[in-house]
Amino acid sequence: MIASKEAADGPRRPAGPLLHRDDELAVLDATMAELAEGQPAVIAIQGPRGIGKSSLLRAALARAPRQSVVLRARCHESERDFPYGVVRQLFDRVLAQPGRTGTAGLELRAGTRAEASGAEVHEQLQDLFQAARSLSGGKPVVIAVDDLTFADPASLAWLSYIVRRLEGLPLALVFTVDSDAHDALPADFDTLSPTRLLRPGPLCDTCAARWMAQRFGAPLDTELASACHTLSLGNPLVLRELTDRLLAADVSAGSPDPAAVLEIGAATLSDTTVEWLHRSRPAAVELLTNLAVLGPGGDIETAAALAGQGEFETALAGEELRRSGLIDPGPPQRFRHELVRTAILSRIEPRTRLDLHARAAALLVRLGAPAAQTAEHLMSMGATGQTWALPILRTAAREAAAAGDWATAARYLRRALAESADPETVLAVTGQLGAVELHQDVAACARYAATVAASVGPPPARARALLPFADAVLTLDSPMAARSFVEAAAALDTGSGASLELLLPLGTQALLAGHRGTARRTLAALRRSPGRQVAGPAFLGALAALTAAGGRFPLRAQRLAERCAEATAPAGAGTGAPGAALALAWSGRLEDAAALAGRAVLTARIAAHPGELALTLLVRADIAHRMDRTAACLSDAREALRLAESVRAAGLAAAAAACAARALVVRGQHEAAGAVLAQAPPPSGAHPLIRALSLQARGVVAAGLGEHEQALQLFLECGHQLAARGIANPACVPWREHAARAYEQLGEPGAARAIAGDDVPGHRTGLPAPRPAAGAATAGTEPGSLAGPGSPVASGTSAAPVGARRVGLTASERRVTDLVLTGLSNLEVAERLFLSKRTVDTHLGRIYRKLGIRGRPELGEALKEL
């Protein structure tokens, strides 16, 4: 017995028109050569449907010796009940030939009834055998029967009779049979020595791709070839059908649509392989369907339990599925490829599929399966109303979050919200969902925080529900969330220890938002607490940053930052580390700040929290900029920008873009810096530090492009934003130095000295000298401002009235005039421009003298006349 085998060194090369059949064709060549020498043979070609058995049968006939007598028949399952149906096909053409002798009684014998006595049957078989012998006349005889699986019993008995009497006869029997046809065939076929068994295997991916490329007439995309080989399971008939359908659908061979290929492949698989299984073994199709519904983690045993099949039935069905190639031999016995599972799922009716998911979820709960596996079935259903569904979804979400799969965790929790109507449970699930969204969608997290803050209930309950949202990333990025923390902290009664446990985390977020009243209240509550409860690192870091930003107590800020650093783990950094690092940087201890920021970045990387990593990188980038480490600053800022955009943290993205722009300006890449700022503008209502940082960066870019008037306005607005929140430390955002330099470029050294308080120490900014604009023209001058011929920025400016340019108001006088016309008092103008009131009075006196007026009431009319 000779069996086919796969080549050990790779895919077979095609022999003639057949691909991947070298071994089988070699057996046919040898057998037919022996037949030509008068030796008998039996060739059984066995395999699943569509594997190419008929092609090999035709190849055997093509190799038959010359002058051979060929008898052919093809069986069909509808003719199984007709006695000698196969024999009739074999001999009908021979009997119809004129002059044929030695077969006169064959027609009558073949037409007799099958229910004859033993002697009569033996006589019939002997007559048929003699007829076959007489056909040769010394020539080889080849009897070819296709699909012998469906032969009638009488014809099978005759073929078995012939096989046992082949010795010394030049006769070859070649037949094809299905893989599971052992019970239908006589045992002689597998035991007699002349029998040679060929089991053609599936086409390899290389041969399949070559065959498809020939059909398409063009080179084949590798992904298309791989998908078609997977969906067809290497079955030539399925592959041919799939290729025909792809060609009919005008699918491109070089750039196919994956969705269209999968849809066509699923239909092809359904119409061929699965349909064959459905006719021969329906239990196998039912098992296959349930296995597909169970998902990637399913197995044959669980699928059998879902289908309600017993062990014996499951064993038969599983063996059929393994022979078909749809599942791996295992263990575990699962689909050969996810594409196959997807194709099987596409065959299931929606209602049936929904019912199967419901049954699968209930079964998996009883079996104690992993929560994620059960949760996937719940995701495919509507609201179940089952008490066990909600804990399963929440547990699966916690497991996914622990693995860093935030998207899956959010899916489960959003589904869990639909399973509960209890207000307390809804609040708890919303908090859990917000904590997950914080790591992938900060904007969504802010919306969930607002929902929790607006819930009805006592202040402690609302505060407790807000705890999952208490994170610096959310507070710094969302003013709406920051207000929620401040309001929840203000509503707490600090007289109880339980409230203090809630006040500390909420107070920390209020500090990050710049709310000093909450800081005093939290500190007072700490002093009154039993045992003098110690504040955590997060609170210390936020308090250190707030103290340093005030600028009045730098030593206190440093001590708070040191306490925060000491309270964190030696190998990492706590949530307060970014605030402590900024406090040290704003207090002049840059090396210590850089070390602490580095620890914070390392901790955030290990935790795989994109938002926290973006925040820590942003802090480290700002410190690197202060230390003139431009390359490190730019690298951290760009990574922070990418991470912030990935989690939809618009505020952090704007701050990262500002840090990157400042570094690019230092390198002289002003246009690139402007493009980065345009990529991530600050959102409305952003944190004051973020707005100030963005204004400073825009001003630096404008100054680098020579637009000093616009740059000065941006620097002054930056200072106004900081002053409005009590951020007086010039080290936070050094806008005064830049504003002073802009004044100097505009030809106003007095204003430069007034706003800087000293000579401009240009070396402290780390910035190159500004590039003057061509022609000394200034962009960005506000409409209605005044300029005169003596102003360094008057040339080319068309925004100021002609009369204002004629009387020669300076740039400082124009700014004062613009603000006075809005109705601001002299003191308010001084605060807005960060000048003393005396300086504003002096400017107004000069303006009145130049315009020939006496005071404010005449200013507007004088400008109208001009």
Side-chain angles (χ1 to χ4, degrees):
M1 185 179 298
I2 302 176
S4 64
K5 64 182 189 315
E6 292 289 345
D9 56 350
R12 308 177 191 177
R13 298 188 61 80
L18 297 181
L19 296 175
H20 205 80
R21 296 290 182 258
D22 282 1
D23 289 350
E24 290 82 0
L25 294 176
V27 172
L28 295 179
D29 287 334
T31 303
M32 292 304 170
E34 294 172 0
L35 179 63
E37 296 175 0
Q39 299 182 24
V42 176
I43 302 176
I45 306 172
Q46 188 177 41
R49 294 191 179 187
I51 202 64
K53 302 187 296 294
S54 298
S55 297
L56 285 174
L57 179 65
R58 289 192 294 270
L61 296 179
R63 286 163 171 75
R66 293 184 179 181
Q67 306 301 322
S68 297
V69 177
V70 178
L71 307 179
R72 301 187 61 176
R74 183 179 183 86
C75 306
H76 193 272
E77 54 187 334
S78 63
E79 300 178 359
R80 226 175 215 168
D81 297 331
F82 296 95
Y84 294 110
V86 176
V87 176
R88 289 175 183 275
Q89 289 190 55
L90 291 173
F91 286 98
D92 276 350
R93 292 184 181 180
V94 177
L95 293 174
Q97 294 180 9
R100 177 68 65 179
T101 61
T103 60
L106 180 60
E107 186 173 0
L108 294 176
R109 294 288 186 179
T112 57
R113 56 190 177 89
E115 297 83 1
S117 64
E120 291 176 335
V121 171
H122 184 272
E123 186 178 356
Q124 289 177 355
L125 295 176
Q126 179 63 24
D127 287 348
L128 291 171
F129 172 66
Q130 292 299 336
R133 287 186 61 181
S134 67
L135 289 175
S136 65
K139 299 177 183 179
V141 177
V142 179
I143 300 177
V145 183
D146 204 359
D147 283 337
L148 189 63
T149 308
F150 305 117
D152 61 277
S155 296
L156 282 175
W158 176 72
L159 290 173
S160 176
Y161 188 88
I162 288 180
V163 169
R164 293 193 299 271
R165 289 163 175 78
L166 286 180
E167 189 67 31
L169 293 178
L171 190 148
L173 173 62
V174 186
F175 62 88
T176 66
V177 65
D178 287 347
S179 298
D180 57 349
H182 296 284
D183 298 337
L185 297 181
D188 308 6
F189 285 18
D190 285 340
T191 58
L192 296 179
S193 58
T195 303
R196 294 177 175 176
L197 182 60
L198 301 182
R199 288 195 177 99
L203 297 181
C204 66
D205 52 357
T206 302
C207 291
R210 291 184 59 186
W211 185 87
M212 290 187 66
Q214 293 174 0
R215 292 296 305 275
F216 272 94
L220 207 64
D221 178 75
T222 54
E223 293 186 3
L224 174 62
S226 176
C228 290
H229 182 262
T230 299
L231 288 167
S232 66
L233 310 171
N235 187 296
L237 182 59
V238 181
L239 183 66
R240 184 182 302 113
E241 178 68 19
L242 175 56
T243 304
D244 290 343
R245 296 189 184 194
L246 292 174
L247 288 170
D250 293 328
V251 174
S252 171
S255 56
D257 179 10
V261 172
L262 179 58
E263 182 180 357
I264 295 173
T268 305
L269 192 66
S270 172
D271 296 341
T272 53
T273 305
V274 180
E275 186 60 31
W276 296 336
L277 279 176
H278 186 74
R279 290 201 302 265
S280 62
R281 192 156 318 256
V285 177
E286 184 181 12
L287 185 65
L288 188 71
T289 300
N290 285 274
L291 183 62
V293 169
L294 284 175
D299 53 62
I300 286 288
E301 290 75 15
T302 308
L306 184 60
Q309 295 181 359
E311 290 186 4
F312 180 72
E313 188 178 12
T314 301
L316 294 178
E319 181 62 29
E320 185 68 28
L321 293 177
R322 286 189 292 274
R323 281 200 299 263
S324 69
L326 290 170
I327 65 173
D328 283 327
Q333 298 177 11
R334 294 174 180 170
F335 284 98
R336 288 181 59 244
H337 197 280
E338 185 63 18
L339 281 178
V340 178
R341 188 181 80 87
T342 305
I344 298 300
L345 285 176
S346 67
R347 301 181 68 251
I348 308 174
E349 292 291 335
R351 290 184 178 276
T352 304
R353 185 170 174 178
L354 191 65
D355 178 64
L356 286 174
H357 278 300
R359 290 168 50 198
L363 175 64
L364 291 173
V365 169
R366 293 196 300 271
L367 296 177
Q373 187 177 358
T374 307
E376 282 300 322
H377 294 286
L378 293 174
M379 297 296 295
S380 302
M381 302 161 50
T384 64
Q386 300 292 333
T387 56
W388 49 263
L390 183 60
I392 286 290
L393 290 167
R394 296 185 68 181
T395 301
R398 282 193 293 269
E399 293 174 355
D405 189 356
W406 309 111
T408 300
R411 282 179 56 238
Y412 292 154
L413 290 172
R414 283 193 288 268
R415 179 69 176 78
L417 282 176
E419 287 287 345
S420 177
D422 177 56
E424 292 186 6
T425 305
V426 169
L427 271 182
V429 174
T430 304
Q432 190 179 356
L433 177 57
V436 168
E437 292 284 21
L438 185 62
H439 302 295
Q440 69 162 5
D441 191 342
V442 177
C445 179
R447 292 193 296 270
Y448 289 123
T451 300
V452 170
S455 61
V456 178
R462 292 202 306 272
R464 191 171 291 105
L466 276 173
L467 288 183
F469 301 90
D471 192 281
V473 174
L474 181 61
T475 302
L476 295 175
D477 197 79
S478 170
M480 175 179 60
R483 285 195 300 272
S484 299
F485 293 130
V486 172
E487 293 169 359
L492 285 175
D493 179 13
T494 59
S496 63
S499 296
L500 180 58
E501 294 179 359
L502 299 175
L503 182 62
L504 268 175
L506 297 180
T508 300
Q509 305 310 308
L511 286 176
L512 292 172
H515 197 269
R516 299 176 183 273
T518 305
R520 291 190 291 269
R521 190 163 175 264
T522 306
L523 288 172
L526 282 171
R527 296 190 188 98
R528 295 193 305 268
S529 64
R532 298 298 295 272
Q533 182 174 342
V534 179
F539 183 80
L540 290 173
L543 186 59
L546 185 65
T547 305
R552 297 178 58 192
F553 308 105
L555 294 180
R556 181 183 298 174
Q558 292 179 35
R559 287 196 298 269
L560 289 169
E562 291 168 354
R563 287 178 58 189
C564 174
E566 292 170 357
T568 59
T575 55
L582 285 177
L584 292 174
W586 294 341
S587 302
R589 293 172 53 178
L590 294 177
E591 293 292 344
D592 294 336
L596 186 55
R599 287 172 52 191
V601 169
L602 179 61
T603 302
R605 284 195 191 280
I606 295 174
H609 293 173
E612 293 180 10
L613 181 56
L615 176 60
T616 54
L617 285 168
L618 181 58
V619 171
R620 192 169 71 172
D622 183 73
I623 296 171
H625 176 72
R626 297 169 189 272
M627 300 175 73
D628 294 332
R629 298 174 181 174
T630 305
C633 170
L634 186 58
S635 175
D636 283 347
R638 282 174 169 168
E639 184 179 1
L641 176 58
R642 178 182 60 81
L643 290 169
E645 289 178 337
S646 70
V647 297
R648 297 185 61 196
L652 295 184
C659 282
R662 293 188 309 183
L664 290 171
V665 168
V666 173
R667 290 186 168 186
Q669 302 174 7
H670 303 91
E671 290 79 5
V676 170
L677 289 172
Q679 175 184 344
S684 59
H687 193 279
L689 268 179
I690 293 176
R691 291 200 301 271
L693 190 61
S694 181
L695 287 167
Q696 182 211 14
R698 290 168 56 197
V700 168
V701 172
L705 294 172
E707 300 170 355
H708 303 293
E709 181 73 19
Q710 180 184 2
L712 181 60
Q713 294 295 333
L714 290 168
F715 293 141
L716 294 178
E717 180 60 25
C718 172
H720 177 69
Q721 293 286 344
L722 294 173
R725 289 301 182 96
I727 302 176
N729 188 349
C732 292
V733 182
W735 65 273
R736 288 182 179 274
E737 296 178 3
H738 299 298
R741 176 171 290 174
Y743 271 123
E744 284 194 337
Q745 292 294 327
L746 293 172
E748 301 183 41
R753 286 192 296 272
I755 200 167
D758 200 349
D759 292 333
V760 181
H763 66 279
R764 286 193 289 174
T765 65
L767 296 174
R771 186 175 66 191
T778 302
T781 305
E782 297 181 1
S785 61
L786 304 179
S791 173
V793 296
S795 177
T797 301
S798 60
V802 177
R805 292 199 300 271
R806 185 170 64 248
V807 298
L809 296 182
T810 66
S812 298
E813 292 169 349
R814 285 187 285 112
R815 279 188 290 276
V816 171
T817 304
D818 291 341
L819 292 175
V820 168
L821 290 176
T822 63
L824 296 179
S825 67
N826 288 12
L827 181 59
E828 290 172 333
V829 172
E831 292 176 350
R832 181 65 62 91
L833 296 178
F834 296 94
L835 302 173
S836 66
K837 181 177 179 299
R838 182 176 178 180
T839 302
V840 173
D841 294 340
T842 303
H843 280 312
L844 281 174
R846 291 186 187 139
I847 293 169
Y848 296 158
R849 287 194 297 274
K850 290 181 179 180
L851 295 177
I853 60 177
R854 296 183 179 181
R856 279 174 174 257
E858 303 176 25
L859 183 59
E861 293 298 328
L863 293 177
K864 287 181 181 179
E865 292 178 0
L866 294 174

